Amino acid sequence: MSEQLDLFDVTIIGGGPAGMYTAFYSGMRDLKTKLIDANERLGGRLLIYPEKMIWDVGGLTPTLGAKLIEQLVQQAKTFDPTIVLGQQIVSLDRREDGTFLLTSATGERHWTRTVVLAIGYGILELAKLEIEGADRFEVTNLHYTVQGLEEFRGKRVLISGGGDSAVDWANALEPIAASLTVVHRRDQFGGHERNVKKMKSSAAAVLTPYAIESLHSANGRDIHQAAIAHIESGERKLLDVDAVIVNHGLRYNFGPVRDWGLDMGDWNVHVSGKMETNIPGVFAAGDFVKHDSKVHLIAGTFNDAVLALNSAKLYIDPEAPKVAYVSSHNAKFKERNRQLGVGVDDDGH
């Protein structure tokens, strides 16, 4: 009996933009919804870049990652889904009645009619600086993300990396840092061309091809100097620093998901145009999916979420409408509009 009470229509695995928007849209479609994430906070990959400016979400002016997370969380909770944090789902099993049993690494069990996988690239791990003893500085002035720009105001900052985030951080910090040096082990940067050009034309010192060779501390607690070496000639430079920021990319780990019988490539699950995986009742959205029309933007993630959830709805009820009514005509928003004081005439209708 308890299993029947705990049976959800849709269980979403993953709490990034794809998972959160799926939870919102699931509420629009009047489905009993649960969202599970391995992290202790919703946000997914955006949690790594709270100070990064997001430009490409329709209808939003440039928005900080932290603010976008806040707004997505608020939207995801519109229809009061059950949200479970800090649980990594390690097994997916179809039961005799066609429903699914999901089990977490710590033994918790979840029952559901359908599953939407919005797990991105799995468990994300920041690539660490491979220098002996570097980890002891992680509690002081060795950083793998930029949580707040003001922390670096008036400081001598060294950034190691050549991707979008490293370039973005360099452009954001150059006006407020006392000095800024960027080192990258290749001459070419992987960031957007316009941003790379801006970085190279600023007052920042951009050194390529260089890599951090060693870190030095006068007090055993903080880095006060960093030795960098030219990749080809071996020439060394010693830089005085107050903070070191390392952005060497992310390592992705799908863990047990690869054992669930999904048709997967190296980094994605193959889905139909309706976000159907090869397992009936299991759908996917966001960075985890690969299909012919995939758009690798947050806007594309939202579209994936809608398609996946509509497929889940029709899997549960083949006679249901194929899509939800738009919000201006959706009955689920009438009371919400009333609470906001909009869309109400003089008679209170």
Side-chain angles (χ1 to χ4, degrees), residues 11-172:
T11 297
I12 304 153
I13 304 177
M20 287 190 281
Y21 196 78
T22 304
F24 167 72
Y25 190 73
S26 186
M28 285 183 66
R29 303 234 57 187
D30 204 24
L31 295 173
K32 184 179 179 182
T33 308
K34 178 182 283 186
L35 188 155
I36 305 173
D37 193 80
N39 290 319
E40 296 294 341
R41 296 171 56 201
L42 295 174
R45 188 172 177 178
L46 286 175
L47 290 170
I48 301 174
Y49 310 115
E51 290 285 341
K52 186 172 183 179
M53 197 66 75
I54 309 297
W55 288 78
D56 53 10
V57 177
L60 284 184
T61 54
T63 305
L64 286 175
K67 183 63 176 179
L68 182 57
I69 292 173
E70 178 186 329
Q71 294 175 174
L72 283 168
V73 170
Q74 181 179 354
Q75 185 182 51
K77 293 180 177 180
T78 300
F79 300 106
D80 302 314
T82 296
I83 297 176
V84 179
L85 300 176
Q87 288 192 28
Q88 180 188 4
I89 300 302
V90 295
S91 68
L92 177 151
D93 300 292
R94 185 188 293 278
R95 306 196 301 172
E96 291 184 1
D97 62 0
T99 62
F100 295 93
L101 170 62
L102 305 174
T103 306
S104 75
T106 49
E108 291 86 356
R109 298 190 295 175
H110 307 271
W111 295 270
T112 186
R113 289 187 171 90
T114 63
V115 177
V116 176
L117 301 173
I119 60 175
Y121 297 104
I123 302 298
L124 300 179
E125 300 173 355
L126 291 165
K128 298 295 186 73
L129 189 61
E130 296 180 354
I131 293 176
E132 185 177 355
D135 56 337
R136 64 193 169 114
F137 299 117
E138 291 178 16
V139 297
T140 54
N141 60 342
L142 174 60
H143 308 267
Y144 289 100
T145 65
V146 173
Q147 297 294 319
L149 296 177
E150 284 301 314
E151 182 178 356
F152 303 93
R153 182 174 292 277
K155 294 183 177 180
R156 298 165 296 180
V157 180
L158 169 64
I159 296 178
S160 176
D164 278 324
S165 294
V167 173
D168 287 346
W169 289 338
N171 286 329

